């Protein structure tokens, strides 16, 4: 009847209903929205699947912008739920052009919903959210934005941009837990969700969550995993102490310094700062260099370089400056580790110039 | 660039792939199976929804035994996926009779799958799993068992009983985290799941998880919430230190003592020990007693009595002796708090006799 | 260069100096003092040793009231530092009488300092602090109170009582960490401490800590163990949420119920409620009962009865209702476990009456 | 009676006596000794004070080598306990020469005990432990080594070197908790400690701890702070996973890279690698540079440079590569931050060359 081992993760109490609503409110500040914010007790990809399942219906036409595997999955969920999906693909591992979006919207005036990923962590690119939002709003099109890999790394003013559904996860730039995700829902989005035919009594049902809102948020909407919520509160404490705008600025600084360092090294960032993510920078390996060998060459320095994921990203090396990694020393370490790996493989790399560039960029 | 606040829940590292497989293996010992065990990164109700979505197809006939809201939900998921569902309902808040199951199976010889909940935490009842499994096996019917509220509280030998899919959660008798669930899958179940038409690229897809098995379990199947996994490891450490059979015995002792105490009090347990759950005991309020008043009367003693949930359970009071609550002092406290509440409401309750009964039962 | 294992206790940041002072201020509220509060980075017995070492000098006469081993140790530390110690011993495991204190003070009008333990956790007794303080104040005698086993369990208004030095630890009624202790210091106490000859540059030096105060508390006074401080903050969060007066009331209720339960059982509490501790109740084993056998008889019920410690306490059984244990269910469990142990040893014990008495006391 | 707030640091169980002894044994492996290892429930400076208090006596002559404030304190504790102390001071912030030690030993043949600090974290220097041990052993002199700032950073084979008392803390290179310290004690040291006159019943008494050894280590020697012990176990898990020799190698690499980087920068490390600490590197500010301004100039880069402490160290800047900071990226960040600070103050600093030097040193 005794428990021999102890671990501080044991036995948290149930997370109080009153604090659950408060967590949602604190996330409103992160997203800069006065609309509704829902919490999903699962990783952010589940929130995205729930959005597709809850919004799509037969007869609804969606422009789905695909710039990674995630976008492809989103299209499959939309189609599974009966929507007609017009897929607009960028070149592999490249952001979409706003012009292509505009052309597509003109060609399909019956499009009612537009979905895109803001930034892609697999390839380090970023889509032109602001311009696309202008196009969508001008046409009264509902918008769904996967901001999982951009929140906290880029300005994301949901109400100012007029995004209808924004999906985020706390585990990236906010350095929080991975088992909860969240989304903002505008009145226009609720209209779509409330149309007959959507899923109910399901992890994929946003309508289920509406009951929580409609009941005044006084009870928990289902079983919660308390440790995740306590961890999310801890993350929000940090986010509020630093300030979300400061967090964005920190990521932008890390991204600029990383790209400047790579250029000084003699390497070519896959994408420039304007079209790039602030959470991840990618760089294309020189021809003839073997990817696994390059990653392995960096490992003894203790830096975690990784490979790009998905079509077009196979020869990209990812430098991750997300969350707690958006720091001077880690940017330095990653860029120089990449440089040392290049040298080991027989390529040139100007370690010295890279370090100088990073130091000066970070001091501005 | 500094982080002012600190919380030990911050910043766990990614959970290592090698340990993920080891967690699954440790759960095999809990379930006493040599078959496959999958982990679902969400609460157990999601694992149940995934099972229904992954197994059901048009043309498959399922006998779905309903003894609570959960059973009803399971039927709705089966139907959504196109299965023909034959629903067998027990009387409200009562277990099913094996005879009724047998009659139903005889009436519908084309039934291919049978689903039931082992024990119900909302009403404290337990279905006759062993007898139903004999009926199903004699007919070659695949079986799905929701053991979320019974694992660790009742003997559950998956391979010996021949259950095809068993769904569990660590947050009840194992006193673990709520954000992960698990299920065992037999070869026969894999055959059903592998038939064309099941969901893929989805939180509800068991087929997705098959890829993890087929690849030798060397990589993580999707994003994991590391804190949940570290907490699950801590729970398994405890479970293995105490021994799963000892945990079952502890819950059985707590259940017997609770029912003996209630009887000595002069109250009537809703269901006897044979048909009851070992995790939760329910007792029916006397006519004329107001439920909320009764629960409130127990609160000053610091005990957490709660109301039954679902049809037939509206006037049940739940005494929860699950996990760390399967202890002498908590059983005593709960039963006596219920007795004090009865007295406060003007009913008789023999506090003294109840305490004596519990003490003697617990000393056996 | 990687760290394989993870534990949430790893790698706390240094505890910020600004919060260190805030912790001291929060403890002032617990002690109800506007005077200085110092923190000692060690268990409370070290704080007591430091007080003795810092206050005692050749030429100072101290009345040291001894009601346990701790009091004896305190006397040895006073003597080691050169003070003349007049020892006033109560009968073994009994509180001192205020009359005896008065007589001693009259007999030794040159006494400058009086030291006593407020409550004793080894024997469950309590000394008449209020009366003794009146005697001391009337004579202008400086007072040192070991309140480690009484803070949070008994009213302790340091300024109202006029205590000069009060030593506490957070690990008992406050349910906090054991590696920090604290003490209040009045201006009169600082005068004693500041006399030439006291220790400096030592864990035992309170004068060292004065430097921290004198410098405006802007820097940490030495190396701190950050986890202990974060844990103390967590404890203070709980203490402030419940309220220190409510915590005292909860302990008083637990103590009254425990004694009423023992009496109803047919057992004899070692000391009555008026002279007893609210954190621990002791009961004397009947003649002929074997102590270890009695404790072992309670163990299968999962309750932690323990043996009294020190002269006169050898045949006492301790029921611990401190901190998180000051609860109805634990009081019930402990008293009934003691009753079941008595029965097992062949003595009578009215389990039923005890439970009824506890329930009624706890419902008041 | 409920506790609103939750924190994973709350409510650890008491640390089991059986594991306490096991922790001591695991520390024997760290120290490479088969002798006794004692644990002190306080920061390492308390263990040092306890050693001085327990070993020194009137009539014992100690050669105390002073290379920092700590050494000075140690002398004061020795004198307080009655020993005759011969102080041998190095030049400010410089290591002692073995020749000076030899001369002193020759001049005072009656010296019975020799005490020194292995490495100094305030100035980044290291004393020639191996040579001094040869001198002491040749004369049968008992040795006391403060290895708090060297353990895990330098080879420390207690039995091979023949050190009689070695004091360590887990909070530096082992990245563990700060509230426990430990020491090894040889049979010769026990003889000194056991001579009449040492402190008993005191945090400063090693003799008290002997009772724990003599009783077979079956009970806890006093109250322990459980969180500290659980944290120490977590640290030992990591230490054993990485291997203590690998930890030393990692610190040595970080130290060499730091010094190479500083030299390439154009700066002058205070001391060379041979005489320097592997945990901390110091560098002397150029004349005319203002220390606080230099530290402040590095802060925006998020690096934590700090000022040297003590005589001779006033104009030193400390680069801390201890424990988790013994990493390529942190070494890079610290050295380059120092370089950027120099530039900001108008001095030259070759950022590029420094980065190259560090990268090449770290890749060897």
């Amino acid at each position: 009847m005794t428990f021999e081992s102890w671990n501080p993760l044991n036995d948290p109490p149930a997370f109080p209903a009153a604090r659950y609503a408060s967590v949602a409110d604190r996330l409103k500040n992160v997203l800069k929205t006065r609309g509704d914010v829902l919490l999903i007790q699962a990783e952010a990809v589940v929130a995205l699947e729930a959005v597709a399942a809850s919004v799509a219906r037969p007869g609804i036409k969606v422009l789905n912008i695909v710039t990674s595997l995630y976008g492809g999955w989103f299209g499959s969920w939309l189609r599974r739920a009966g929507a007609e999906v017009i897929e607009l693909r960028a070149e592999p591992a490249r952001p979409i052009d706003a012009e292509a979006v505009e052309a597509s919207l003109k060609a399909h005036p019956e499009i009612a919903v537009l979905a895109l990923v803001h930034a892609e962590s697999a390839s380090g690119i970023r889509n032109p959210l602001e311009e696309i939002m202008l196009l969508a709003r001008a046409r009264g099109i509902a918008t769904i934005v996967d901001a999982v890999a951009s929140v906290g790394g880029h300005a994301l003013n949901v109400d100012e941009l007029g995004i209808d559904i924004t999906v985020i996860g706390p585990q990236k730039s906010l350095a929080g837990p991975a088992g909860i995700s969240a989304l903002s829902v505008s009145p226009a989005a609720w209209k779509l969700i409330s149309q007959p035919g959507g899923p109910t009594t399901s992890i994929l049902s946003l309508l289920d969550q509406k009951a929580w809102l409609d009941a005044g948020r006084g009870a928990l909407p289902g079983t919660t995993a308390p440790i995740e919520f306590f961890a999310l509160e801890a993350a929000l404490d940090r986010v509020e102490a630093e300030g979300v705008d400061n967090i964005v600025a920190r990521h932008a600084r890390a991204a600029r310094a990383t790209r400047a360092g790579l250029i000084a090294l003699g390497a070519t960032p896959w994408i420039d700062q304007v079209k790039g993510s602030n959470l991840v920078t990618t760089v294309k390996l020189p021809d003839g260099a073997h990817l696994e060998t390059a990653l392995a060459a960096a490992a003894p320095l203790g830096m975690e370089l990784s490979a790009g994921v998905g079509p077009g990203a196979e020869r990209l090396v990812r430098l991750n400056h997300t969350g707690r990694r958006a720091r001077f020393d880690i940017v330095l370490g990653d860029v120089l580790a990449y440089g040392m790996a290049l040298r080991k493989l027989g390529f040139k790399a100007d370690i010295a110039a890279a370090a100088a560039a990073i130091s000066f960029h970070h001091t501005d």
Side-chain angles (χ1 to χ4, degrees), chain A residues 285-312:
Chain A
L285 264 190
D287 291 342
H290 186 248
L291 181 71
E292 291 306 320
T293 312
L295 299 181
L301 294 171
M303 306 312 300
E304 295 167 29
L305 307 184
S306 62
V309 180

Side-chain angles (χ1 to χ4, degrees), chain A residues 22-35:
Chain A
S22 149
V23 164
D25 289 339
R26 295 168 77 180
L27 286 168
K28 288 185 191 182
N29 293 331
V30 172
L31 288 169
K32 307 197 175 182
T33 183
R34 296 180 160 202

Side-chain angles (χ1 to χ4, degrees), chain A residues 26-104:
Chain A
R26 295 168 77 180
L27 286 168
K28 288 185 191 182
N29 293 331
V30 172
L31 288 169
K32 307 197 175 182
T33 183
R34 296 180 160 202
D36 294 321
V37 165
L38 307 178
L39 297 158
I40 304 287
Q41 176 74 60
E43 208 260 333
V45 75
V46 178
L48 289 164
E49 185 179 359
V51 167
S54 294
V55 166
R57 297 285 188 290
I60 289 186
K61 195 170 278 187
V62 184
L63 179 64
N64 184 44
I65 298 170
V66 178
T67 49
S68 70
L69 295 176
Y70 285 103
W73 294 352
F74 200 78
S76 74
W77 298 326
L78 292 167
R79 267 182 233 108
R80 191 183 65 196
E84 182 180 342
V85 179
I86 296 163
E87 191 174 279
L88 181 62
R89 280 192 179 266
E91 283 181 63
R94 290 287 169 185
I96 200 75
D97 283 326
E99 294 73 30
V101 177
E102 189 168 19
S104 195

Side-chain angles (χ1 to χ4, degrees), chain A residues 9-332:
Chain A
L9 296 175
N10 282 337
D11 271 331
F15 192 71
R19 270 157 75 171
Y20 186 100
S22 149
V23 164
D25 289 339
R26 295 168 77 180
L27 286 168
K28 288 185 191 182
N29 293 331
V30 172
L31 288 169
K32 307 197 175 182
T33 183
R34 296 180 160 202
D36 294 321
V37 165
L38 307 178
L39 297 158
I40 304 287
Q41 176 74 60
E43 208 260 333
V45 75
V46 178
L48 289 164
E49 185 179 359
V51 167
S54 294
V55 166
R57 297 285 188 290
I60 289 186
K61 195 170 278 187
V62 184
L63 179 64
N64 184 44
I65 298 170
V66 178
T67 49
S68 70
L69 295 176
Y70 285 103
W73 294 352
F74 200 78
S76 74
W77 298 326
L78 292 167
R79 267 182 233 108
R80 191 183 65 196
E84 182 180 342
V85 179
I86 296 163
E87 191 174 279
L88 181 62
R89 280 192 179 266
E91 283 181 63
R94 290 287 169 185
I96 200 75
D97 283 326
E99 294 73 30
V101 177
E102 189 168 19
S104 195
L105 292 175
K106 281 186 181 163
H108 303 280
E110 69 287 10
I111 284 169
V113 177
L114 180 154
L116 81 158
V117 178
H118 189 190
E120 301 283 7
S121 71
S123 57
I125 59 108
R126 179 163 52 103
N127 289 310
L129 176 64
E130 290 76 5
E131 295 159 80
I132 294 172
M133 284 304 303
L134 287 177
L135 296 171
R137 293 185 73 177
R139 287 162 178 79
I141 292 173
T143 44
I144 300 170
V145 176
D146 171 349
V148 175
S150 66
V151 61
H154 295 271
L156 183 67
N157 192 321
V158 163
D159 283 0
E160 203 173 287
L161 292 174
I163 308 173
D164 291 295
I165 296 183
T166 316
V167 176
I168 62 168
Q171 80 273 35
K172 293 191 179 278
S173 66
L174 309 181
I180 311 179
S181 49
L183 66 160
S184 70
V185 185
S186 74
W190 278 126
K191 261 193 206 162
L192 286 170
I193 294 164
S194 301
Q195 285 184 304
T200 54
T201 318
S202 172
I203 179 72
L204 300 180
S205 169
L206 298 185
L207 211 51
D208 286 3
Q209 299 245 13
K210 199 158 182 298
W212 170 66
L213 290 172
D214 293 346
R217 309 195 308 176
L220 292 172
T223 301
T224 56
I227 312 181
E228 295 294 308
F229 277 88
F230 286 110
L232 179 50
E233 285 193 328
L236 287 168
D237 288 346
R238 278 188 284 105
V239 167
E240 291 163 6
E242 186 175 4
V244 75
D245 293 343
N246 292 331
I247 294 174
V248 170
R250 178 161 57 82
H251 282 85
R253 199 184 311 122
R256 282 196 310 270
T258 301
R259 289 191 174 89
L262 288 169
I263 290 169
L265 203 62
T268 312
W270 174 245
I271 199 108
D272 67 19
Q273 179 66 21
V274 177
K275 297 191 172 179
S277 156
N278 282 340
L279 275 71
V280 169
T281 297
T282 50
V283 56
K284 199 173 175 192
L285 264 190
D287 291 342
H290 186 248
L291 181 71
E292 291 306 320
T293 312
L295 299 181
L301 294 171
M303 306 312 300
E304 295 167 29
L305 307 184
S306 62
V309 180
E314 299 86 354
R315 287 192 58 74
L316 299 184
V317 172
R318 296 168 72 247
L319 284 70
N320 175 1
H321 34 82
T322 303
R324 303 244 179 174
R325 299 182 61 84
R327 288 176 52 91
F328 172 62
D329 46 3
I330 291 184
V331 166
L332 261 181

